[in-house]
Amino acid sequence: MPPVKPMLAKSVARIPPDMQYEAKWDGFRAIVFRDGAEVELGSRTGKSLTRYFPELAAALQERVPERCVLDGEIVIARDGRLDFDALTERIHPAASRVRTLAERTPASFVAFDLLALRDEPLLDVPLSDRRKLLTTALSSTTAPVHVAPATTDIEVARRWFEQYEGAGLDGVIAKPLTLRYLPDERAMFKIKHERTADVVVAGYRFHKSGPIVGSLLLGLHDDAGTLQHVGVSAAFPMKRRAELVAELEPLRMADPAGHPWAAWSDETAHESARLPGAPSRWSGKKDLSWVAIRPERVAEVAYDHMENGARFRHTARFRRWRPDREPESCTYAQLEEPVGYDLNDILG
């Protein structure tokens, strides 16, 4: 019975040997519960996602066993690639808006584990046996419900790691073949893409605990030479956060009027440029203000991949300052583009 928290993965640098390998899907993790006419989609935190994906609930009722619990990922594909932005648009309070989006950008469910079938719980069954039960139980399923491809061949997994990124996937997951299903435990392994980029540090936000740096605001220049906000770097020890305030103080602008992102507080300005503090339904009453600094310092950051080619999908990881680089040289052109790969070739 819901809620059930999904089993999690911990990051490792390389693909480990002698395991089952799958793609790491970039979507909403979901536990699907079906009991006859009832279908429930539970999020990673245990909250219900069902109302946001009505078309998927209907499809699951038609395509999965009458009584089962599945672990998988809700995704939306557009032009052969995963589209995370379209997915986040679904978390909307208006039912009419959700219905419109369900017709415009229907979601899919990719199943990669089976937690229960009929009256039999499977949490203590080894992964290799759960995989066989999963593929048998969903052998006749059709889109938009899919079974995630899996292999035990590490060479295939390495090839997937390179190819699948072009379809918007996030890396590879490795699972020990004897692994029991352990809710909310990091018992699997994830291997994600990581690249580096030189970015302009153009501001920072204070930490919630006080007047120390919470996150650095990062920018890249577009083809027109405009500095676009591309994300943040936020993982620093507390001592380093305090040091950064002092380090950046000489660059702090008493009057941000001349800053490239000075118009950030004007909602209409976000329509034509990427600025920090963009208002959204996620921010609510959150303080989006930030401290402007002269955009003169360059930092090297690590990132996994770009979202729609415009911003870092996840928080970038600070590596070092680059005093040898000029801010004007920090452009989108330096970013590595993954080779295109059609998502339909993965799901079949």
Side-chain angles (χ1 to χ4, degrees):
M1 295 294 290
V4 171
K5 291 189 175 182
M7 182 164 60
L8 306 175
K10 53 189 172 185
S11 294
V12 293
R14 295 179 179 81
I15 301 175
D18 304 322
M19 295 194 182
Q20 176 178 296
Y21 310 103
E22 303 166 18
K24 185 179 184 302
W25 299 88
D26 190 20
F28 286 172
R29 187 76 176 275
I31 304 291
V32 168
F33 303 82
R34 187 195 169 191
D35 188 358
E38 295 182 87
V39 174
E40 176 69 16
L41 307 177
S43 74
R44 175 170 167 171
T45 60
K47 296 180 179 179
S48 176
L49 294 170
T50 311
R51 69 175 297 268
Y52 303 116
F53 299 95
E55 81 286 16
L56 200 50
L60 287 160
Q61 189 170 346
E62 296 175 356
R63 291 167 174 81
V64 304
E66 186 174 12
R67 300 188 71 229
C68 66
V69 180
L70 298 162
D71 186 5
E73 199 98 359
I74 300 172
V75 299
I76 290 179
R78 213 185 258 179
D79 300 324
R81 285 182 58 87
L82 296 182
D83 189 335
F84 193 81
D85 278 351
L87 201 61
T88 60
E89 289 175 2
R90 287 297 193 88
I91 311 302
H92 198 282
S96 59
R97 176 64 174 166
V98 170
R99 286 194 299 269
T100 298
L101 292 173
E103 295 176 3
R104 184 184 304 166
T105 52
S108 299
F109 180 74
V110 183
F112 44 68
D113 214 332
L114 182 63
L115 280 59
L117 184 62
R118 295 181 290 276
D119 292 328
E120 184 180 0
L122 302 174
L123 300 186
D124 291 329
V125 174
L127 170 70
S128 56
D129 293 335
R130 295 201 310 274
R131 175 70 189 183
K132 293 175 184 176
L133 291 168
L134 172 68
T135 54
T136 300
L138 299 185
S139 60
S140 60
T141 193
T142 57
V145 179
H146 307 271
V147 177
T151 182
T152 55
D153 187 332
I154 194 170
E155 293 304 320
V156 173
R158 287 169 178 156
R159 188 164 66 248
W160 285 356
F161 184 78
E162 300 299 331
Q163 291 179 331
Y164 282 7
E165 186 186 12
L169 278 75
D170 209 14
V172 167
I173 294 289
K175 305 176 180 179
L177 295 172
T178 58
L179 183 64
R180 297 183 299 112
Y181 195 92
L182 304 171
D184 207 30
E185 291 191 29
R186 295 192 179 276
M188 306 181 294
F189 304 95
K190 57 185 177 184
I191 307 91
K192 300 178 66 175
H193 298 276
E194 179 175 282
R195 297 172 174 82
T196 61
D198 294 328
V199 295
V200 181
V201 178
Y204 62 87
R205 288 195 176 96
F206 282 118
H207 194 268
K208 59 184 179 182
S209 67
I212 57 176
V213 167
S215 60
L216 300 176
L217 306 186
L218 313 176
L220 288 173
H221 290 96
D222 61 19
D223 291 341
T226 302
L227 188 66
Q228 304 284 1
H229 175 55
V230 294
V232 301
S233 182
F236 300 101
M238 296 303 285
K239 180 182 177 183
R240 182 60 179 145
R241 293 181 188 278
E243 293 171 347
L244 282 169
V245 172
E247 213 170 309
L248 298 173
E249 182 61 29
L251 298 175
R252 187 166 178 170
M253 299 175 67
D255 181 4
H259 194 280
W261 300 336
W264 75 273
S265 58
D266 180 357
E267 289 191 21
T268 60
H270 293 267
E271 298 172 4
S272 57
R274 291 202 56 78
L275 307 173
S280 74
R281 62 184 176 277
W282 304 105
S283 54
K285 297 181 180 179
K286 183 178 179 181
D287 182 8
L288 300 177
S289 61
W290 52 281
V291 176
I293 63 173
R294 296 196 306 275
E296 299 174 2
R297 296 203 73 175
V298 174
E300 179 184 306
V301 298
Y303 68 99
D304 40 27
H305 66 275
M306 302 295 290
E307 190 168 290
N308 294 330
R311 63 180 183 270
F312 297 132
R313 168 70 179 83
H314 302 105
T315 301
R317 295 163 294 285
F318 184 91
R319 289 291 181 256
R320 56 177 175 153
W321 292 115
R322 290 295 305 267
D324 56 319
R325 290 292 301 268
E326 295 297 324
E328 293 74 20
S329 69
C330 299
T331 68
Y332 282 96
Q334 69 182 294
L335 303 179
E336 182 181 343
E337 290 294 328
V339 176
Y341 197 86
D342 195 331
L343 185 66
N344 294 319
D345 292 336
I346 302 172
L347 294 176

